Amino acid sequence: MKRIYLFAWIIIAGLSSCKKFLDTKPTDFFTPDNYYTTEAQLQQALTGVYGDLMRPELYAQVIPFNFTTTTDEVLSNRTADGDARGLRYNYDASQVYVGNLWKFSYIGIANLNSLLENINKPTMDSTKRNIIKGQALFLRGFLYFTLASNYGDVPLVLRPLGINETTIPATPQKDVYAQIEKDMKEAEVLLKDYTAARLGYNELVTISAVQAMLARVYIYWAGYPQNNVSKYQDVLTYTNKVVNSGLHALNPDYRQIFINLSKDVYDVKENIWELGSFGAAPGVVTKGGNDIGNFVGIQSAIVAADTTSYSSASWVWVTRKLFDSYELDAANTATPFKSSLDVRRDWNCANYIYSGTPRVKTARPNVWQMNAGKFRREYCPAIIRNTNGVGGSYNINWPVIRYADVLLMRAEAENYLNGPANAYADINLVRRRGYGIMNGNVVKSVVVNNQGSGYTVAPAVTISGGGGSGASGTAVVTAGKVVGIYLNSPGALAPGTYYSSAPVVVIGTAWVPGTAYAAGTQITNAGNLYTVTTAGTSTTTGPTQTSGASSAAVTGAVFTYAGVPATATASITTGTEADLTPGLSKEDFQLAIRDERMRELCFEAVRKADLIRWGNFYQDMQTFAAWAAANGASVAATGNPNGLQGAQNVGTRHVLLPKPTYELNLNRALIQNTGW
């Protein structure tokens, strides 16, 4: 990833207003008076703000985890740690993470205000100056969006403050949104030709990042608590700008989006703006990092005997509501839970953890104990995934906003303004990608017609023909019979691409002459299933008997009759399975959008904000808590005494964070949020 070297940028508030001591100016350290004199210094100051966005107090931990994960899509499994980090909605105004989110947002704003005040100081190319200014304005608006959406009314500071300026009343949230809009619209003009396609990476703010984020600002503004529904038209305007730019598109493979984030591979079409971590160039010792894929990830630990192992605490587990929201494949019932036609389910809801030495996958069939699998540290570069690594030193980038989100926002705004007729195209595009059929039809199910008999090991499954390629499956054997084929499970069936007709499914491995067979191997020949009971190399005469064992002198290895091979039939998609039910009312389409956003964007720190802007966060969480308790989330079933406490603890006050105690003590003009 593009290296971002952090500049140790410390703004000493009020230096510019302090009286000079005698007539001397400092020459051995930087102040706003003697800094910002070159293009390089402007860029360095801006780079420092980018780097600070990936602090633990912001996107390296708090925003993707502390106050956003406990909703109806994911629940905490922690005790004391969960309390300390706010996972169970039992925090107050004195909690350190409540304070740090506020503090470091304002530190970033202070640095940007100083940069913007001095933006015209150096002599430099005007285009380069505009790019720096545009990014700075956007980032100021973005940090105010973070503050306003989390705390409501907040002080609006647009210039460097003097050291004694501590009493600043909060500005109403709607007016903060208006300033965010102003900053971002000015940034849009300044960055008009600045694209990720041109750069080759997406860690910097570009024109489409500004437009996509403005759409998000407007959709929040349109919802609770401002309920300014006129802003839905602005959502439509700005999502149209992103879509019509031609700069962005969905990655055909949902899973690959998040693999790329782990592997330092840029996807500038899907990921409109992502925040970079420190990365791991060959031969470079990794320093710093983030908790992405750690607290919200697949459980594992670094072990000395396994250099492919990694560290992930997995402090949250998915909910059955999320798992059940993905459409099932009714044709397949062999797995502990039915397979899903939607490949997103088994990527997002990981049914395994890593344990043992060396680390191996260990099944987690209880849905309420499944890990959040979207961000997978197992895909990080090996140089930082080894026994010498530091637990937090991982380089997964954070996807601040993706193209799929833009499409879903556009569908939501279109439905609100004009009804669902023209909104189906966007949601169906997202769903088709989720079902893996953007690249033509895929294998959607394999039905076992004859379970066979005599199996001692799971046989191989071969899928061929049908005009496509890439499909594969894993057989499930119970009591000597093949009872089903796994579909869309990690390590099981790959659905393939471009099938024009149903492919042929072959279960088992055919006998081949001149092959060295080990004892215990099972093969098929002449419509029969055989087990190798004495190792050897097969002759040109294969086994054909329907009972007993073959002669080693005749067949080489000894093949003992085991039973009858299983058979199965594949079916493929038709290109319409993924599409949303046609003819929905405006109200039902809005409900469908809500579920689709959860399926697509789970664990990306938007679900709580979505529930809040839809206006019923408290009741939604209470309804979910009651449903979950009645549907398998009990302590006895999950072994998790803390899972439902977060949902149960939600009160009406939790639509906002409390203003930090330290800030209220310093700024006497602030008023605490209702309920705190």
Side-chain angles (χ1 to χ4, degrees):
M1 73 183 47
K2 181 175 174 64
R3 303 289 295 172
I4 296 180
Y5 297 98
L6 301 187
F7 178 69
W9 190 248
I10 302 174
I11 296 293
I12 303 175
L15 276 177
S16 60
S17 64
C18 292
K19 295 185 179 297
K20 296 179 181 178
F21 181 71
L22 301 177
D23 290 323
T24 63
K25 289 187 177 181
T27 59
D28 57 349
F29 63 91
F30 289 122
T31 72
D33 284 337
N34 68 359
Y35 198 69
Y36 305 110
T37 58
T38 67
E39 176 186 336
Q41 289 176 338
L42 289 183
Q43 185 60 58
Q44 200 170 29
L46 179 66
T47 300
V49 176
Y50 274 114
D52 279 350
L53 289 176
M54 199 51 110
R55 295 184 61 93
E57 297 85 358
L58 297 174
Y59 278 92
Q61 182 198 117
V62 170
I63 290 175
F65 174 65
N66 291 59
F67 304 119
T68 58
T69 47
T70 302
T71 61
D72 55 352
E73 68 183 19
V74 68
L75 296 176
S76 167
N77 61 45
R78 303 302 297 167
T79 52
D81 291 312
D83 291 341
R85 295 177 185 273
L87 299 182
R88 292 195 281 162
Y89 294 97
N90 51 8
Y91 49 82
D92 59 25
S94 65
Q95 200 241 36
V96 63
Y97 298 103
V98 168
N100 281 344
L101 180 59
W102 175 289
K103 174 182 176 181
F104 285 96
S105 294
Y106 272 112
I107 287 175
I109 289 167
N111 291 344
L112 290 164
N113 283 341
S114 187
L115 170 60
L116 288 166
E117 186 175 73
N118 291 278
I119 192 70
N120 293 318
K121 183 180 289 185
T123 300
M124 60 184 291
D125 178 79
S126 61
T127 300
K128 293 180 179 180
R129 191 194 313 274
N130 286 344
I131 290 172
I132 294 174
K133 183 178 180 180
Q135 292 177 77
L137 283 166
F138 171 87
L139 291 173
R140 184 171 71 179
F142 179 70
L143 286 169
Y144 270 121
F145 183 45
T146 300
L147 288 164
S149 59
N150 280 286
Y151 299 97
D153 303 345
V154 295
L156 186 61
V157 180
L158 303 175
R159 59 175 177 79
L161 293 176
I163 197 167
N164 295 320
E165 293 184 88
T166 59
T167 304
I168 306 170
T171 298
Q173 186 188 57
K174 65 180 179 63
D175 295 330
V176 179
Y177 279 149
Q179 181 62 45
I180 295 166
E181 176 186 42
K182 181 177 182 297
D183 277 354
M184 290 189 178
K185 280 191 170 184
E186 186 175 350
E188 181 187 15
V189 174
L190 293 168
L191 298 174
K192 62 180 180 179
D193 297 317
Y194 198 62
T195 68
R198 166 185 157 188
L199 295 171
Y201 52 87
N202 51 12
E203 290 176 342
L204 299 181
V205 174
T206 60
I207 179 65
S208 51
V210 175
Q211 292 165 344
M213 192 55 63
L214 262 169
R216 182 179 285 178
V217 170
Y218 286 130
I219 210 165
Y220 281 35
W221 201 345
Y224 182 86
Q226 293 305 317
N227 295 317
N228 186 344
V229 295
S230 69
K231 298 303 175 183
Y232 278 116
Q233 182 59 56
D234 294 303
V235 176
L236 200 56
T237 297
Y238 274 86
T239 53
N240 279 336
K241 287 186 178 186
V242 176
V243 174
N244 295 337
S245 73
L247 295 169
H248 298 285
L250 296 179
N251 187 316
D253 187 341
Y254 180 79
R255 296 160 293 195
Q256 194 62 44
I257 302 166
F258 308 101
I259 294 172
N260 288 343
L261 288 167
S262 297
K263 285 188 170 183
D264 283 357
V265 176
Y266 289 111
D267 181 353
V268 300
K269 288 187 174 292
E270 171 83 36
N271 292 332
I272 297 174
W273 182 34
E274 63 188 59
L275 293 178
S277 188
F278 287 88
V284 176
V285 177
T286 303
K287 297 179 180 179
N290 59 55
D291 282 308
I292 299 167
N294 178 14
F295 302 136
V296 185
I298 299 175
Q299 182 180 324
S300 184
I302 292 176
V303 293
D306 185 359
T307 57
T308 69
S309 64
Y310 65 90
S311 175
S312 177
S314 183
W315 282 359
V316 294
W317 291 343
V318 306
T319 69
R320 179 138 217 151
K321 178 178 179 178
L322 172 64
F323 184 88
D324 287 351
S325 72
Y326 297 99
E327 184 179 351
L328 299 178
D329 175 13
N332 188 279
T333 59
T335 61
F337 44 85
K338 288 183 179 181
S339 298
S340 175
L341 295 172
D342 192 330
V343 300
R344 295 174 297 183
R345 188 194 72 177
D346 294 328
W347 179 262
N348 292 331
C349 306
N351 64 351
Y352 64 92
I353 63 172
Y354 283 103
S355 61
T357 303
R359 311 305 274 175
V360 295
K361 288 182 179 179
T362 303
R364 275 279 182 89
N366 185 336
V367 173
W368 290 102
Q369 295 177 330
M370 288 183 182
N371 291 179
K374 177 168 280 187
F375 301 100
R376 302 192 179 202
R377 286 186 160 191
E378 62 198 88
Y379 289 99
C380 288
I383 192 171
I384 58 170
R385 190 174 32 79
N386 57 41
T387 53
N388 296 320
V390 179
S393 296
Y394 290 85
N395 71 323
I396 299 178
N397 279 13
W398 179 256
V400 183
I401 192 160
R402 295 195 286 115
Y403 187 60
D405 194 355
V406 170
L407 292 174
L408 293 175
M409 286 192 291
R410 186 166 78 157
E412 184 173 351
E414 173 65 29
N415 178 60
Y416 182 88
L417 293 168
N418 305 307
N422 293 324
Y424 272 95
D426 285 333
I427 192 172
N428 284 342
L429 185 58
V430 173
R431 288 171 62 85
R432 287 180 183 182
R433 192 267 297 278
Y435 283 60
I437 59 175
M438 282 187 67
N439 285 340
N441 291 320
V442 301
V443 175
K444 71 172 183 177
S445 65
V446 177
V447 177
V448 176
N449 303 317
N450 179 358
Q451 295 182 340
S453 62
Y455 288 98
T456 56
V457 295
V461 177
T462 304
I463 303 174
S464 61
S469 63
S472 61
T474 300
V476 180
V477 172
T478 301
K481 298 180 179 182
V482 174
V483 295
I485 307 294
Y486 272 110
L487 297 180
N488 297 333
S489 252
L493 182 133
T497 54
Y498 296 112
Y499 286 94
S500 56
S501 61
V504 175
V505 180
V506 175
I507 298 176
T509 302
W511 169 87
V512 177
T515 302
Y517 284 109
T521 303
Q522 290 195 301
I523 59 94
T524 60
N525 192 51
N528 302 313
L529 177 69
Y530 299 96
T531 302
V532 176
T533 51
T534 301
T537 300
S538 58
T539 66
T540 58
T541 302
T544 58
Q545 78 278 10
T546 57
S547 65
S550 66
S551 167
V554 176
T555 59
V558 175
F559 299 93
T560 299
Y561 178 81
V564 179
T567 61
T569 303
S571 61
I572 63 171
T573 57
T574 63
T576 60
E577 281 93 341
D579 290 357
L580 192 63
T581 304
L584 293 177
S585 67
K586 188 175 181 178
E587 293 72 22
D588 286 342
F589 190 91
Q590 171 63 14
L591 293 176
I593 283 285
R594 296 183 184 194
D595 287 344
E596 197 59 42
R597 287 185 65 82
M598 178 171 64
R599 285 187 284 263
E600 175 70 24
L601 303 170
C602 57
F603 324 137
E604 294 183 47
V606 297
R607 182 63 176 174
K608 181 182 176 184
D610 278 349
L611 292 173
I612 290 171
R613 68 181 177 84
W614 289 326
N616 209 16
F617 175 60
Y618 165 71
Q619 189 55 58
D620 285 344
M621 290 299 291
Q622 294 304 302
T623 299
F624 164 71
W627 177 88
N631 284 273
S634 66
V635 175
T638 65
N640 179 10
N642 310 296
L644 282 180
Q645 290 185 11
Q648 292 167 339
N649 287 345
V650 169
T652 55
R653 68 179 184 172
H654 289 110
V655 295
L656 294 173
L657 293 176
K659 292 183 172 67
T661 299
Y662 78 81
E663 193 68 23
L664 290 167
N665 290 336
L666 180 66
N667 182 359
R668 297 296 182 176
L670 281 184
I671 298 173
Q672 184 57 280
N673 288 331
T674 302
W676 295 100

